[in-house]
Amino acid sequence: IGDSFSGPANAAGELKLWTTKRSVALEKNAATIGWRLENMWPLAWALGFEPAPGFDGAMIDQATGQAMVVEFAGAMSVSLAELVARATPRSAAQVIAMEDLFYCAHNAATQAQSGAATVPSGFDAVVSSGVIMERRHALTWCLSPGIAWDDTNLDA
């Protein structure tokens, strides 16, 4: 966390997070953590993590999340610089191809929210669309040099 945030306000927030009882922190932040895991999966994949994130809208499962955070990223035992140094990044072509899949899936999910028959039966137009959008956000950001995370354009 220390390498991913800067400034006194974020440092105070990190301290508060680390000193909060785990059960309280999970209760208060479970939804945010879940969505961030959806962002993290494509980012970890771009750095060499397997398996690739699916574009079916299913949320990340516990085993994949744990492998990604604990085994691949080393949880909090390595710095961001160490993680990047030991990564085996995928080629730009691979990331572009994956982002294209998520672009198409995001478009289909958005159309489904408007009532179009663009997704399989059982697709949750809210949750599954959110999963796809979060994963696409990460991939689009990877392909948007110089663009801040919050300024990543998912309109196109």
Side-chain angles (χ1 to χ4, degrees):
I1 286 182
D3 287 337
S4 60
F5 298 101
S6 62
N10 289 324
E14 288 177 29
L15 181 60
K16 183 177 179 183
L17 176 66
W18 285 112
T19 58
T20 302
K21 282 182 56 176
R22 182 181 176 103
S23 60
V24 173
L26 284 173
E27 182 181 316
K28 291 174 117 178
N29 299 297
T32 302
I33 291 168
W35 288 119
R36 291 301 169 233
L37 286 173
E38 300 303 342
N39 294 134
M40 288 171 59
W41 192 0
L43 296 173
W45 174 84
L47 292 174
F49 177 73
E50 287 290 344
F55 54 93
D56 60 357
M59 293 188 86
I60 191 171
D61 61 78
Q62 184 175 358
T64 302
Q66 183 164 348
M68 177 179 63
V69 172
V70 176
E71 296 164 26
F72 179 77
M76 296 304 159
S77 63
V78 299
S79 70
L80 180 59
E82 290 172 305
L83 174 62
V84 171
R86 72 176 193 206
T88 52
R90 298 190 189 279
S91 69
Q94 290 173 300
V95 177
I96 290 167
M98 182 66 79
E99 196 276 344
D100 188 54
L101 286 172
F102 275 92
Y103 171 87
C104 294
H106 189 208
N107 185 48
T110 301
Q111 295 300 314
Q113 289 176 337
S114 300
T118 56
V119 295
S121 174
F123 184 89
D124 185 314
V126 175
V127 174
S128 297
S129 292
V131 167
I132 290 167
M133 192 261 321
E134 295 295 339
R135 292 179 188 171
R136 178 180 171 218
H137 185 165
L139 292 163
T140 302
W141 177 80
C142 284
L143 299 171
S144 306
I147 303 297
W149 179 267
D150 289 335
D151 295 333
T152 304
N153 184 358
L154 299 179
D155 293 339

